[in-house]
Amino acid sequence: MEARKILLVEDDPNFGAILKDYLIINDFDVTLAKNGMEGFEKFKKDIYDLCILDVMMPYKDGYTLAREIREKNQEVPIIFLTAKTLKEDVLKGYKVGADDYLNKPFDSEVLLMKIKAIIQRKASEVKPDNTKFEFEIGKFHLNSKLRFLSFQNEEPVKLSPKECELLKMLALHENDLMPRELALTKIWRDDNYFTSRSMDVYIAKLRKYMKRDENVEILNIHGEGFRLVVKK
Amino acid sequence: MEARKILLVEDDPNFGAILKDYLIINDFDVTLAKNGMEGFEKFKKDIYDLCILDVMMPYKDGYTLAREIREKNQEVPIIFLTAKTLKEDVLKGYKVGADDYLNKPFDSEVLLMKIKAIIQRKASEVKPDNTKFEFEIGKFHLNSKLRFLSFQNEEPVKLSPKECELLKMLALHENDLMPRELALTKIWRDDNYFTSRSMDVYIAKLRKYMKRDENVEILNIHGEGFRLVVKK
DNA sequence: ACGAATGTTAATCTTTGGTTAATGTTTTAA
DNA sequence: TTAAAACATTAACCAAAGATTAACATTCGT
């Protein structure tokens, strides 16, 4: 099998080199970046199976980098390395969408197990077409990468990240049920009263945009979710 | 949203009760088992979204339980709780197929974040939903996912969750007895005088919808249940 | 004919969703 | 670096949808 590609971002050159070698010995294809900036550049230039990010780095810390990576890619697993054990930091990491968290010093074998567990998990997931980023919705055209929505020959409207993801999620389920829960867990990464209300606010915003085409409607299915209907 | 079901297996009654309450407060539906044996029994009797297992337990330890659970179910996420910090134990846990590992004492908020991260990961896995949701009932067409009932070329009628589930249950037993008790336990999740009367109200509503096709009827079988009859 | 089960309607209660605006947070650009 | 702009969340209020309950009528089985 093709070696799994790992992006390792670690500012301590010694530790970075050792960890890289260790992973290479264990049959991974490792790219090492010395800081967050470089890490993001390398992330954009290739496709990785896993990112291992140091939290404490000059210029751009691990969280910021993780957030940038998540904007580009919701799927790739992220593991944080940190010397900190502060609760807030761990929580922050999970909020950003981390898959795991490791305190330094850690045992390399444990890291290896975690890596294997995570990569295997991802491999077993059947992924939907997440690469699609252009959608025709009635007379609208949505580009979810550039985050704009155009209507015929009018000036395209810019969408906020949340607006855009929500509309994309609806579009992926065109004319079918898009469960509330799905959007909440995938986009808001949490499912409670407030995130749910927040989502309703975004539904209202989207409806406002979409009403220029009377054949497009976002219907509610009480207690279940929403349905983007496009009449032909 | 339906609360996530968690199976918590912990032999320390105090700690178990506290953790259970904490999780319940955070909107999980928690079942507590006092040992591995009981844990496995409860696991077999229901479907859980997550298992949290204490490692050190008399008679049957967490690893053994995890292995048994994995035999029945390869999917359900497992988190181990342990006072041990021995490397071998952590590795053993991952080998058995754990999703995460937490050392006692741990921070409850951290556990909560881990639970959310894990459940979200599972939610994002696309599972082929092969449950039947479309039914032909005489000249009617029922879509129980989008919850509508259409009749020939007329505008489809929206059904409420209870109406829909009840009609689906009847359709699954077309021309056969659909026992009262079945609907009450599956849909109303309770079987008493009031839920029974409530169900009768819903039967009346469904009859009203269905009378557009004179070949479709919902008959009562006194003391037993109902029968959805479709004459051909 | 009698009690128990069912049919029906309407009133009441509960949950969920729509909307607007205030408040908080992050990003952007000067 | 800081202020403005953009974005996101929270709060409050109201409306809509759904579910239950109560009351009374009818039917069933023995």
Side-chain angles (χ1 to χ4, degrees):
Chain A
M1 186 196 54
E2 186 83 352
R4 298 300 193 168
K5 301 190 78 159
I6 294 179
L7 176 64
L8 173 62
V9 189
E10 166 65 64
D11 66 315
D12 176 341
N14 286 316
F15 182 67
I18 290 170
L19 187 50
K20 179 179 175 178
D21 288 344
Y22 176 72
L23 292 172
I24 286 176
I25 287 166
N26 284 282
D27 296 324
F28 291 100
D29 177 355
V30 184
T31 301
L32 177 61
K34 291 182 298 296
N35 58 60
M37 231 70 89
E38 191 189 325
F40 192 53
E41 289 310 310
K42 295 204 162 155
F43 179 80
K44 283 191 287 188
K45 287 202 186 104
D46 211 334
I47 293 167
Y48 294 92
D49 295 292
L50 174 70
C51 299
I52 302 178
L53 314 181
D54 190 14
V55 171
M56 303 274 268
M57 288 187 296
Y59 306 117
K60 186 183 285 183
D61 70 23
Y63 302 124
T64 313
L65 176 57
R67 218 174 290 119
E68 291 175 348
I69 288 176
R70 272 280 167 273
E71 259 180 48
K72 293 268 167 204
N73 185 326
Q74 278 79 52
E75 295 303 314
V76 62
I78 296 176
I79 293 180
F80 281 118
L81 302 182
T82 178
K84 296 192 201 174
T85 48
L86 287 178
K87 185 176 103 188
E88 302 83 61
D89 293 313
V90 178
L91 293 182
K92 195 172 173 188
Y94 277 107
K95 264 198 189 117
V96 166
D99 281 71
D100 218 321
Y101 218 95
L102 233 62
N103 287 318
K104 291 195 227 175
F106 54 81
D107 189 283
S108 54
E109 278 191 69
V110 171
L111 173 65
L112 206 58
M113 277 324 251
K114 287 201 186 237
I115 289 174
K116 284 181 181 166
I118 286 174
I119 285 185
Q120 193 191 327
R121 203 150 54 206
K122 287 287 163 178
S124 74
E125 289 176 21
V126 188
K127 48 173 112 181
D129 195 0
N130 257 57
T131 48
K132 189 173 177 188
F133 61 91
E134 290 196 299
F135 301 88
E136 299 302 327
I137 307 168
K139 293 174 190 158
F140 295 98
H141 176 89
L142 168 68
N143 183 319
S144 68
K145 197 150 72 167
L146 303 177
R147 289 211 318 256
F148 66 65
L149 179 69
S150 48
F151 180 69
Q152 290 175 339
N153 49 6
E154 287 178 27
E155 184 70 5
V157 185
K158 283 192 202 166
L159 297 181
S160 84
K162 286 255 150 67
E163 288 170 348
C164 186
E165 285 187 84
L166 185 56
L167 183 53
K168 178 181 171 185
M169 188 73 77
L170 285 163
L172 284 168
H173 295 80
E174 187 177 308
N175 286 322
D176 199 0
L177 171 68
M178 194 283 295
R180 259 195 120 76
E181 212 196 318
L182 180 70
L184 291 173
T185 52
K186 292 268 277 183
I187 301 176
W188 274 266
R189 312 189 143 271
D190 193 6
D191 180 349
N192 61 45
Y193 173 77
F194 290 110
T195 52
S196 196
R197 298 325 324 276
S198 189
M199 172 170 165
D200 289 332
V201 172
Y202 277 90
I203 288 288
K205 291 180 188 187
L206 290 180
R207 283 192 174 126
K208 216 165 271 177
Y209 290 134
M210 309 307 279
K211 73 176 169 216
R212 281 180 293 172
D213 182 344
E214 78 284 353
N215 289 318
V216 175
E217 244 181 319
I218 299 174
L219 300 182
N220 172 254
I221 299 175
H222 204 93
E224 298 289 334
F226 294 90
R227 189 177 158 217
L228 176 65
V229 186
V230 181
K231 284 178 232 148
K232 313 274 169 170
Chain B
M1 183 203 51
E2 187 84 353
R4 299 301 194 165
K5 301 192 81 161
I6 293 180
L7 176 62
L8 173 61
V9 188
E10 166 64 64
D11 66 315
D12 177 342
N14 285 316
F15 181 66
I18 290 169
L19 186 51
K20 178 179 176 178
D21 288 346
Y22 176 72
L23 292 172
I24 287 175
I25 287 166
N26 284 282
D27 296 323
F28 292 99
D29 177 353
V30 184
T31 301
L32 176 60
K34 292 182 296 296
N35 58 60
M37 230 71 86
E38 192 190 325
F40 192 54
E41 289 311 308
K42 294 204 162 153
F43 179 78
K44 283 190 288 186
K45 287 204 186 101
D46 211 334
I47 293 167
Y48 294 92
D49 296 292
L50 174 69
C51 300
I52 302 178
L53 314 182
D54 190 12
V55 171
M56 302 273 268
M57 288 187 295
Y59 305 120
K60 186 183 285 185
D61 70 23
Y63 301 125
T64 313
L65 176 57
R67 220 173 289 120
E68 290 177 348
I69 288 176
R70 272 282 167 271
E71 262 178 47
K72 293 261 169 212
N73 186 325
Q74 281 78 51
E75 295 300 313
V76 61
I78 297 177
I79 293 180
F80 281 117
L81 301 184
T82 179
K84 295 192 202 174
T85 47
L86 290 178
K87 187 178 101 189
E88 302 84 61
D89 292 314
V90 177
L91 294 183
K92 193 172 173 187
Y94 277 107
K95 266 196 189 123
V96 167
D99 282 70
D100 218 322
Y101 218 95
L102 232 64
N103 287 319
K104 291 194 226 174
F106 56 82
D107 189 282
S108 55
E109 276 191 69
V110 171
L111 173 65
L112 206 59
M113 278 323 248
K114 289 204 182 233
I115 290 175
K116 282 180 181 171
I118 286 174
I119 285 185
Q120 188 198 324
R121 206 148 54 203
K122 288 286 161 180
S124 75
E125 291 175 22
V126 185
K127 44 187 138 180
D129 188 6
N130 43 10
T131 39
K132 189 176 177 189
F133 62 90
E134 291 195 298
F135 301 87
E136 299 301 329
I137 307 168
K139 292 174 189 157
F140 295 98
H141 175 89
L142 168 68
N143 182 320
S144 69
K145 186 159 72 157
L146 301 179
R147 284 209 323 249
F148 66 64
L149 180 68
S150 48
F151 180 70
Q152 292 174 339
N153 49 6
E154 288 178 28
E155 183 71 4
V157 186
K158 285 194 208 166
L159 298 181
S160 86
K162 286 254 149 67
E163 289 169 349
C164 187
E165 286 187 84
L166 185 55
L167 182 53
K168 179 179 170 182
M169 188 73 77
L170 287 163
L172 285 168
H173 296 78
E174 189 177 306
N175 288 322
D176 199 357
L177 170 68
M178 194 283 295
R180 257 196 123 76
E181 213 199 319
L182 180 71
L184 290 173
T185 53
K186 291 264 181 190
I187 301 175
W188 274 265
R189 307 179 167 282
D190 191 7
D191 181 350
N192 61 44
Y193 172 77
F194 289 111
T195 52
S196 196
R197 297 321 329 274
S198 189
M199 172 169 165
D200 289 331
V201 172
Y202 278 91
I203 288 289
K205 292 181 187 186
L206 290 181
R207 285 191 174 126
K208 212 168 275 178
Y209 291 135
M210 310 306 280
K211 73 178 169 215
R212 282 180 293 172
D213 182 345
E214 77 284 354
N215 290 318
V216 175
E217 247 181 319
I218 298 173
L219 300 183
N220 172 254
I221 300 172
H222 204 91
E224 299 290 332
F226 296 90
R227 187 154 85 102
L228 175 65
V229 187
V230 181
K231 283 176 237 153
K232 313 276 171 168

